[in-house]
């Protein structure tokens, strides 16, 4: 697990108020929505804001979200390829 | 002839104390609001992760309703009639601060005072009438009239009324349930006596 995985998990826990959850509780390949972490549609909007605020990535196509926000691994992969800061 | 109704149970959250039907269930000194809310949540063994995503106004109403229902599932047509004097001003201010940078979606969804009614409805599966009033001060007449009207017209089998106010760090919560029988009549005098016991 690289630093970006850990950094992203910390940001998600903080930004989405995942109380009582620790970095070690989130698996890299675990689904973020549905049965996995159980995030909802408002959380998805917060993740879009997080991408722009922390990594300078503006999602132009909302349909991309489903693939990007599938797991921590998919988010890290997308951030590494597209980050501007 | 107007049918009489009664105050079934009530809960008060005020100055670090949680009171149910006159009995102090939890006394936390004078902690920060967030710590007080967390203490109630933990003390009563609640498990509802969405609680931590709510704004403070919704958390106050949600916790009071949890304590009031006390594991007794309310009827799905239990109406909710709430009021306060500060609307959702604290969340409005917090959201306003984010607008200069990245407006927060999770704050935005709480920029209406009646969202607390939605949170309680989702939690307990209520499909019922609900109303949120913004008043100068605790003044239960409208809540009494409206709740009795709903019960008399069989629009609801039960009514949960509440005053849930939050301004700066001051919070004041008083929730009560109405029943067809009981010791205390559901009227302005009895409600004021419970709300302001001194």
């Amino acid at each position: 697990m690289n630093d970006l995985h850990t950094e992203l998990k910390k940001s998600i826990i903080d930004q989405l108020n995942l109380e009582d959850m620790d970095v070690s509780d989130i698996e890299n390949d675990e689904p973020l929505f549905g049965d996995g972490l159980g995030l909802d549609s408002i959380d998805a909007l917060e993740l879009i804001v997080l991408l722009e605020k922390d990594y300078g990535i503006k999602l132009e196509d909302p349909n991309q979200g489903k693939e990007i926000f599938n797991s921590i691994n998919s988010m890290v992969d997308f951030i590494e390829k597209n980050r501007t800061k | 002839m107007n049918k009489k109704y009664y105050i079934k149970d009530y809960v008060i959250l005020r100055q670090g104390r949680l009171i149910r039907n006159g009995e102090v269930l939890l006394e936390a000194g004078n902690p920060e609001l967030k710590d007080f809310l967390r203490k109630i949540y933990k003390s009563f063994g609640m498990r509802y992760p969405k609680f931590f995503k709510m704004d403070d106004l919704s958390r106050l109403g949600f916790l009071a309703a949890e304590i009031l229902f006390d594991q007794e599932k309310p009827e799905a047509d239990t109406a909710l009639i709430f009021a306060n004097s500060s609307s959702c001003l604290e969340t409005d201010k917090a959201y306003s601060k984010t607008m200069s940078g990245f407006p927060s979606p999770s704050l935005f969804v709480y920029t209406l005072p009646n969202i607390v009614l939605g949170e309680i409805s989702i939690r307990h599966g209520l499909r019922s009438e609900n109303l949120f009033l913004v008043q100068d001060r605790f003044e239960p007449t409208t809540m009494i009239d409206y709740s009795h009207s709903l019960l008399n017209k069989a629009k609801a089998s039960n009514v949960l009324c509440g005053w849930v106010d939050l301004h700066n760090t001051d919070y004041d919560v008083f929730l009560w349930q109405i029943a067809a029988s009981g010791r205390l009549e559901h009227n302005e005098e009895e409600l004021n006596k419970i709300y302001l016991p001194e």
Side-chain angles (χ1 to χ4, degrees):
Chain A
M1 186 163 70
N2 66 30
D3 287 347
L4 185 54
H5 283 82
T6 307
E7 176 186 292
L8 187 59
K9 287 177 185 179
K10 283 181 182 166
S11 297
I12 288 174
I13 289 169
D14 182 51
Q15 197 73 28
L16 306 186
N17 291 319
L18 302 179
E19 192 84 6
D20 291 339
M21 190 160 271
D22 192 62
V23 166
S24 60
D25 296 326
I26 306 175
E27 300 292 338
N28 289 341
D29 56 356
E30 180 182 18
L32 297 178
F33 292 84
D35 292 338
L37 214 52
L39 304 186
D40 60 24
S41 56
I42 302 300
D43 294 324
L45 294 174
E46 285 290 351
L47 291 180
I48 291 171
V49 171
L50 185 150
L51 283 183
E52 186 170 355
K53 190 167 60 175
D54 293 354
Y55 304 104
I57 301 170
K58 193 162 187 169
L59 277 190
E60 301 293 347
D61 179 7
N63 292 324
Q64 286 181 287
K66 196 170 180 182
E67 195 178 323
I68 297 163
F69 299 136
N70 182 51
S71 66
I72 293 292
N73 277 339
S74 59
M75 282 190 75
V76 167
D77 187 48
F78 181 77
I79 291 167
E80 283 175 337
K81 287 176 183 163
N82 296 279
R83 68 187 304 169
T84 60
K85 64 178 181 182
Chain B
M1 188 179 131
N2 285 337
K3 191 175 174 186
K4 283 188 178 178
Y5 294 99
Y6 297 85
I7 301 164
K8 183 182 173 192
D9 299 297
Y10 67 87
V11 164
I12 291 173
L13 297 179
R14 189 181 289 158
Q15 296 174 330
R17 300 205 315 166
L18 164 59
I19 299 164
R20 186 177 195 273
N21 296 335
E23 181 188 357
V24 178
L25 298 184
L26 191 144
E27 187 143 18
N30 198 15
E32 294 281 320
L33 174 60
K34 282 191 191 318
D35 294 335
F36 179 48
L37 296 172
R38 180 197 291 258
K39 185 159 189 169
I40 296 172
Y41 181 88
K42 299 278 182 191
S43 298
F44 288 86
M46 297 177 196
R47 294 177 67 84
Y48 193 69
K50 193 170 186 296
F51 169 78
F52 294 104
K53 299 184 180 193
M54 297 177 195
D55 71 340
D56 286 340
L57 186 71
S58 291
R59 289 182 189 191
L60 282 165
F62 175 88
L63 286 176
E66 288 293 295
I67 303 299
L68 194 68
F69 290 140
D70 191 25
Q71 298 170 5
E72 185 182 319
K73 189 171 171 56
E75 296 292 330
D77 66 345
T78 297
L80 304 174
I81 306 171
F82 280 32
N84 76 6
S85 64
S86 304
S87 188
C88 52
L89 185 59
E90 296 309 308
T91 304
D92 290 346
K93 287 194 288 187
Y95 177 69
S96 173
K97 279 184 189 170
T98 71
M99 288 176 72
S100 58
F102 295 90
S104 165
S106 57
L107 280 175
F108 175 73
V109 295
Y110 288 99
T111 55
L112 284 172
N114 60 337
I115 300 302
V116 59
L117 304 179
E119 293 291 4
I120 294 170
S121 296
I122 291 167
R123 167 63 165 163
H124 297 285
L126 306 184
R127 296 179 185 85
S128 56
E129 294 276 341
N130 68 65
L131 174 72
F132 198 106
L133 302 160
V134 179
Q135 306 172 319
D136 286 341
R137 59 186 169 79
F138 178 72
E139 203 289 292
T141 311
T142 308
M143 286 192 272
I144 293 168
D145 290 346
Y146 191 60
S147 59
H148 289 194
S149 172
L150 288 174
L151 292 166
N152 289 338
K153 291 176 181 171
K155 297 271 187 188
S157 63
N158 190 7
V159 183
L160 173 64
C161 292
W163 175 261
V164 183
D165 196 44
L166 173 65
H167 188 211
N168 294 325
T169 56
D170 294 333
Y171 56 93
D172 186 24
V173 178
F174 172 32
L175 257 61
W176 67 93
Q177 274 198 99
I178 304 169
S181 62
R183 192 169 55 84
L184 298 174
E185 195 175 322
H186 187 236
N187 60 33
E188 195 171 341
E189 186 184 350
E190 295 293 350
L191 287 170
N192 279 325
K193 269 195 231 170
I194 298 171
Y195 177 69
L196 290 172
E198 286 82 26

